[in-house]
Amino acid sequence: MAVARSPSRVRRMVTRALQTVFVIAIVAALLFPIYCIVQMCVGGYKSIWDPLISEFTLDSFIAMGGRQWATGFRNSVIISLANAAFCVLIAIPAAYMFTRVNFRFDNHLFFFTIMQRMLPPGAFIIPVFMIYTGIGLYDTLPGVVLAHSIFNLPLAVWILHGFMKDIPTTVDEAAFVDGYSVWGFWRRVFLPLMMPAIGVTAFFLWMFSWTELILANAVTRNASYPITVQLLLSLGTMTTGPMYKEAAAAGVLSMIPGVVVLFFARRYIARGFLLGGRPGGV
Amino acid sequence: LKVRRLRWMKFRVWLYLLPVILVIIVNAILPMVVSYNYAALNLIAGMEPTFEGFGMIYRAISDESFLDALGRNGLFTFLVLIIEVPLGILIAKAIPKRGKLGALCMVLIAIPLVLPWASIGLTWRIMVRTGGSLWTIFRTLGAPYSLGNPTHAFGLALLCDIWHWTPLVALVVSAGYAAMRTEPTEAAMIDRASRWAIFRHVELPALGFPILMAVMLRLMDSLRVYDEPFMILGEGPYQSLEFISTNISSSLDSMRFGYGAAQSLIYSFIAIMAFYIISTVITKGRGMK
């Protein structure tokens, strides 16, 4: 028996080793540009690419002070959080109705909602600028939040719909038979059940809103620039060395909230899929 | 009483949907109406608009650069999907599923996702500059990167997209793996099923929703790709990076608003059709809902 098993053990060890090498290679490849940007902001001024960072300086972070980066950061944090909250909040009831009730045009409305995400951002620049100026949302934080829901709201409805589909309607019926009011049902039964899925959705919404550039650029002028637009502006004047180092420093700093959120969201993401996607499958 | 209840139910449906519908009206329907109005006019900033009816749309259809952009975007989307989805699944399968190491791997892999797109553009732009890191690597490999070569530019945009978005596929699919029950896999292993058979017949069906989600996200976003290629190289040498979005916004930049609007109408139509066909195929005709 032991003789018969040994080749398979060797094979398993080889597979294991290959797997480890693969993972290390992938992580290294993914982190390489990140390393480049870090090197760009702490490295010296002599050459663009200096793999070993022979000259270490924090000048670029110091140079950031006094400019508008801090405002950009604050705006970005507010916009991305508000956008995730707003989209989730209005998408939950809509997704609920899409999964629970058949009504006239439901399929068409659902398709139309999702389809919005496919429209090219370039096509929105002019109309959104005009409409938001008309309703007084141009260059305000709520304006950017609303503009980001162009591509985030369809996503929210779609993901939440995907998860809710797998919660059987018997849950609702049992709750109402047990005498829960509509509000009580949402608060005590449905939302707690959906919490991991809401976490997943909110993470994705936050991610897209945190990084988005084009629409934010289209609806802001000065007061409510998020960090991405600040970066874009600094690229425009990137001809001088110190300026791009400053932009790199801002890029590095803007990565930090992302990593923090990622760290905490990771667990939620896995639990969210425990709910949907029919685990086990067979 | 039953009729009244039914009516209340119907009212409640629309009440629940109302916020979403309001946002859609402001964010999608109004812009479409504005675009439609523009599309019928030959509207160039600073000039008297003339009414053209369907003339602008006809002009856009017969415009070679627009058709090129469409074809290029189609190719880009196709390559993105066939490279990123299998690679992402492979990564998700290879990384440790549990424990501190798994958590660390996941966070490291997902970092490109939370980087603002502008700084991604900045990074890659500097990486391929003469003397930059990627430029050095390509030269060492004996395949020097040339800024003026359209194929190189396209390849670079593709590489950047793969770097940026494969982690999304890996993140979603690995979450699916973490949520998967282990008994079916173990049972299949006891039955001495091959690795491939286990993956194909046990794991893949269980990963249905995460994979569908990843494919849909990549499909939708690669069709509207704009930021990264544009931030790295502008339109690229010889328009080699002119995708649909870039094409439309370059019309807007040159103040040909009517023409840009006509282009975006055509594109929206094509996008709707493509999305409809692909989603029907993926969901085997059951519809998205």
Side-chain angles (χ1 to χ4, degrees), chain B residues 253-269:
Chain B
D253 285 344
S254 56
M255 299 289 166
R256 293 176 298 159
F257 295 141
Y259 189 61
Q263 283 178 317
S264 51
L265 272 187
I266 298 169
Y267 167 70
S268 306
F269 178 73

PDB file of all heavy atoms in Angstrom, chain B residues 253-269:
ATOM      1  N   ASP B 253     -14.085  66.867 -27.143  1.00  0.00           N
ATOM      2  CA  ASP B 253     -12.978  67.780 -26.905  1.00  0.00           C
ATOM      3  C   ASP B 253     -12.813  68.751 -28.056  1.00  0.00           C
ATOM      4  O   ASP B 253     -12.460  69.907 -27.854  1.00  0.00           O
ATOM      5  CB  ASP B 253     -11.662  66.997 -26.723  1.00  0.00           C
ATOM      6  CG  ASP B 253     -11.599  66.339 -25.364  1.00  0.00           C
ATOM      7  OD1 ASP B 253     -12.409  66.735 -24.500  1.00  0.00           O
ATOM      8  OD2 ASP B 253     -10.774  65.435 -25.161  1.00  0.00           O
ATOM      9  N   SER B 254     -13.072  68.238 -29.278  1.00  0.00           N
ATOM     10  CA  SER B 254     -12.942  69.149 -30.411  1.00  0.00           C
ATOM     11  C   SER B 254     -14.241  69.899 -30.636  1.00  0.00           C
ATOM     12  O   SER B 254     -14.476  70.439 -31.712  1.00  0.00           O
ATOM     13  CB  SER B 254     -12.518  68.384 -31.660  1.00  0.00           C
ATOM     14  OG  SER B 254     -13.435  67.353 -31.922  1.00  0.00           O
ATOM     15  N   MET B 255     -15.117  69.904 -29.607  1.00  0.00           N
ATOM     16  CA  MET B 255     -16.323  70.731 -29.580  1.00  0.00           C
ATOM     17  C   MET B 255     -17.377  70.318 -30.598  1.00  0.00           C
ATOM     18  O   MET B 255     -18.273  71.072 -30.909  1.00  0.00           O
ATOM     19  CB  MET B 255     -15.979  72.220 -29.804  1.00  0.00           C
ATOM     20  CG  MET B 255     -15.065  72.777 -28.754  1.00  0.00           C
ATOM     21  SD  MET B 255     -15.919  72.959 -27.184  1.00  0.00           S
ATOM     22  CE  MET B 255     -14.580  73.196 -26.062  1.00  0.00           C
ATOM     23  N   ARG B 256     -17.239  69.099 -31.150  1.00  0.00           N
ATOM     24  CA  ARG B 256     -18.294  68.630 -32.052  1.00  0.00           C
ATOM     25  C   ARG B 256     -19.318  67.865 -31.226  1.00  0.00           C
ATOM     26  O   ARG B 256     -19.356  66.650 -31.228  1.00  0.00           O
ATOM     27  CB  ARG B 256     -17.698  67.767 -33.156  1.00  0.00           C
ATOM     28  CG  ARG B 256     -16.802  68.539 -34.095  1.00  0.00           C
ATOM     29  CD  ARG B 256     -16.172  67.612 -35.099  1.00  0.00           C
ATOM     30  NE  ARG B 256     -15.334  66.617 -34.436  1.00  0.00           N
ATOM     31  CZ  ARG B 256     -14.994  65.452 -34.989  1.00  0.00           C
ATOM     32  NH1 ARG B 256     -15.435  65.140 -36.179  1.00  0.00           N
ATOM     33  NH2 ARG B 256     -14.234  64.614 -34.336  1.00  0.00           N
ATOM     34  N   PHE B 257     -20.134  68.615 -30.485  1.00  0.00           N
ATOM     35  CA  PHE B 257     -21.046  67.992 -29.531  1.00  0.00           C
ATOM     36  C   PHE B 257     -22.087  67.113 -30.222  1.00  0.00           C
ATOM     37  O   PHE B 257     -22.389  66.019 -29.765  1.00  0.00           O
ATOM     38  CB  PHE B 257     -21.768  69.055 -28.704  1.00  0.00           C
ATOM     39  CG  PHE B 257     -20.837  69.834 -27.839  1.00  0.00           C
ATOM     40  CD1 PHE B 257     -21.001  71.196 -27.657  1.00  0.00           C
ATOM     41  CD2 PHE B 257     -19.777  69.210 -27.211  1.00  0.00           C
ATOM     42  CE1 PHE B 257     -20.135  71.912 -26.855  1.00  0.00           C
ATOM     43  CE2 PHE B 257     -18.902  69.917 -26.415  1.00  0.00           C
ATOM     44  CZ  PHE B 257     -19.091  71.280 -26.235  1.00  0.00           C
ATOM     45  N   GLY B 258     -22.616  67.609 -31.325  1.00  0.00           N
ATOM     46  CA  GLY B 258     -23.652  66.857 -32.030  1.00  0.00           C
ATOM     47  C   GLY B 258     -23.121  65.509 -32.487  1.00  0.00           C
ATOM     48  O   GLY B 258     -23.754  64.472 -32.306  1.00  0.00           O
ATOM     49  N   TYR B 259     -21.910  65.542 -33.043  1.00  0.00           N
ATOM     50  CA  TYR B 259     -21.328  64.319 -33.556  1.00  0.00           C
ATOM     51  C   TYR B 259     -21.045  63.337 -32.433  1.00  0.00           C
ATOM     52  O   TYR B 259     -21.355  62.144 -32.533  1.00  0.00           O
ATOM     53  CB  TYR B 259     -20.037  64.665 -34.314  1.00  0.00           C
ATOM     54  CG  TYR B 259     -19.471  63.509 -35.060  1.00  0.00           C
ATOM     55  CD1 TYR B 259     -20.216  62.911 -36.072  1.00  0.00           C
ATOM     56  CD2 TYR B 259     -18.209  63.015 -34.768  1.00  0.00           C
ATOM     57  CE1 TYR B 259     -19.702  61.835 -36.762  1.00  0.00           C
ATOM     58  CE2 TYR B 259     -17.695  61.945 -35.454  1.00  0.00           C
ATOM     59  CZ  TYR B 259     -18.446  61.357 -36.447  1.00  0.00           C
ATOM     60  OH  TYR B 259     -17.945  60.294 -37.119  1.00  0.00           O
ATOM     61  N   GLY B 260     -20.479  63.833 -31.326  1.00  0.00           N
ATOM     62  CA  GLY B 260     -20.206  62.980 -30.171  1.00  0.00           C
ATOM     63  C   GLY B 260     -21.477  62.338 -29.650  1.00  0.00           C
ATOM     64  O   GLY B 260     -21.498  61.150 -29.300  1.00  0.00           O
ATOM     65  N   ALA B 261     -22.563  63.121 -29.620  1.00  0.00           N
ATOM     66  CA  ALA B 261     -23.835  62.588 -29.131  1.00  0.00           C
ATOM     67  C   ALA B 261     -24.341  61.482 -30.054  1.00  0.00           C
ATOM     68  O   ALA B 261     -24.828  60.445 -29.596  1.00  0.00           O
ATOM     69  CB  ALA B 261     -24.859  63.700 -29.023  1.00  0.00           C
ATOM     70  N   ALA B 262     -24.207  61.716 -31.384  1.00  0.00           N
ATOM     71  CA  ALA B 262     -24.643  60.689 -32.337  1.00  0.00           C
ATOM     72  C   ALA B 262     -23.845  59.413 -32.134  1.00  0.00           C
ATOM     73  O   ALA B 262     -24.389  58.304 -32.108  1.00  0.00           O
ATOM     74  CB  ALA B 262     -24.467  61.200 -33.765  1.00  0.00           C
ATOM     75  N   GLN B 263     -22.533  59.578 -31.940  1.00  0.00           N
ATOM     76  CA  GLN B 263     -21.686  58.406 -31.695  1.00  0.00           C
ATOM     77  C   GLN B 263     -22.129  57.661 -30.449  1.00  0.00           C
ATOM     78  O   GLN B 263     -22.227  56.432 -30.439  1.00  0.00           O
ATOM     79  CB  GLN B 263     -20.238  58.844 -31.518  1.00  0.00           C
ATOM     80  CG  GLN B 263     -19.540  59.176 -32.797  1.00  0.00           C
ATOM     81  CD  GLN B 263     -18.136  59.637 -32.505  1.00  0.00           C
ATOM     82  OE1 GLN B 263     -17.908  60.409 -31.587  1.00  0.00           O
ATOM     83  NE2 GLN B 263     -17.198  59.168 -33.294  1.00  0.00           N
ATOM     84  N   SER B 264     -22.424  58.423 -29.383  1.00  0.00           N
ATOM     85  CA  SER B 264     -22.754  57.708 -28.151  1.00  0.00           C
ATOM     86  C   SER B 264     -24.114  57.027 -28.271  1.00  0.00           C
ATOM     87  O   SER B 264     -24.325  55.984 -27.647  1.00  0.00           O
ATOM     88  CB  SER B 264     -22.682  58.613 -26.930  1.00  0.00           C
ATOM     89  OG  SER B 264     -23.406  59.764 -27.117  1.00  0.00           O
ATOM     90  N   LEU B 265     -25.010  57.588 -29.097  1.00  0.00           N
ATOM     91  CA  LEU B 265     -26.285  56.891 -29.311  1.00  0.00           C
ATOM     92  C   LEU B 265     -26.059  55.542 -30.001  1.00  0.00           C
ATOM     93  O   LEU B 265     -26.583  54.517 -29.581  1.00  0.00           O
ATOM     94  CB  LEU B 265     -27.215  57.737 -30.191  1.00  0.00           C
ATOM     95  CG  LEU B 265     -28.104  58.723 -29.462  1.00  0.00           C
ATOM     96  CD1 LEU B 265     -29.066  59.346 -30.449  1.00  0.00           C
ATOM     97  CD2 LEU B 265     -28.879  58.024 -28.360  1.00  0.00           C
ATOM     98  N   ILE B 266     -25.260  55.568 -31.066  1.00  0.00           N
ATOM     99  CA  ILE B 266     -24.984  54.315 -31.780  1.00  0.00           C
ATOM    100  C   ILE B 266     -24.321  53.318 -30.855  1.00  0.00           C
ATOM    101  O   ILE B 266     -24.689  52.155 -30.770  1.00  0.00           O
ATOM    102  CB  ILE B 266     -24.052  54.568 -32.984  1.00  0.00           C
ATOM    103  CG1 ILE B 266     -24.732  55.496 -33.967  1.00  0.00           C
ATOM    104  CG2 ILE B 266     -23.689  53.262 -33.668  1.00  0.00           C
ATOM    105  CD1 ILE B 266     -23.787  55.993 -35.014  1.00  0.00           C
ATOM    106  N   TYR B 267     -23.323  53.831 -30.124  1.00  0.00           N
ATOM    107  CA  TYR B 267     -22.609  52.935 -29.221  1.00  0.00           C
ATOM    108  C   TYR B 267     -23.566  52.340 -28.187  1.00  0.00           C
ATOM    109  O   TYR B 267     -23.518  51.145 -27.912  1.00  0.00           O
ATOM    110  CB  TYR B 267     -21.461  53.656 -28.526  1.00  0.00           C
ATOM    111  CG  TYR B 267     -20.963  52.822 -27.394  1.00  0.00           C
ATOM    112  CD1 TYR B 267     -20.270  51.649 -27.660  1.00  0.00           C
ATOM    113  CD2 TYR B 267     -21.290  53.128 -26.085  1.00  0.00           C
ATOM    114  CE1 TYR B 267     -19.889  50.817 -26.647  1.00  0.00           C
ATOM    115  CE2 TYR B 267     -20.915  52.299 -25.067  1.00  0.00           C
ATOM    116  CZ  TYR B 267     -20.210  51.153 -25.347  1.00  0.00           C
ATOM    117  OH  TYR B 267     -19.854  50.322 -24.339  1.00  0.00           O
ATOM    118  N   SER B 268     -24.443  53.183 -27.624  1.00  0.00           N
ATOM    119  CA  SER B 268     -25.370  52.677 -26.609  1.00  0.00           C
ATOM    120  C   SER B 268     -26.221  51.560 -27.193  1.00  0.00           C
ATOM    121  O   SER B 268     -26.439  50.530 -26.549  1.00  0.00           O
ATOM    122  CB  SER B 268     -26.298  53.784 -26.120  1.00  0.00           C
ATOM    123  OG  SER B 268     -25.553  54.872 -25.691  1.00  0.00           O
ATOM    124  N   PHE B 269     -26.660  51.772 -28.437  1.00  0.00           N
ATOM    125  CA  PHE B 269     -27.473  50.751 -29.092  1.00  0.00           C
ATOM    126  C   PHE B 269     -26.691  49.446 -29.210  1.00  0.00           C
ATOM    127  O   PHE B 269     -27.175  48.371 -28.834  1.00  0.00           O
ATOM    128  CB  PHE B 269     -27.905  51.266 -30.470  1.00  0.00           C
ATOM    129  CG  PHE B 269     -28.714  50.272 -31.241  1.00  0.00           C
ATOM    130  CD1 PHE B 269     -30.025  49.998 -30.879  1.00  0.00           C
ATOM    131  CD2 PHE B 269     -28.161  49.585 -32.316  1.00  0.00           C
ATOM    132  CE1 PHE B 269     -30.773  49.076 -31.573  1.00  0.00           C
ATOM    133  CE2 PHE B 269     -28.902  48.658 -33.018  1.00  0.00           C
ATOM    134  CZ  PHE B 269     -30.206  48.405 -32.654  1.00  0.00           C
TER     135      PHE B 269
END
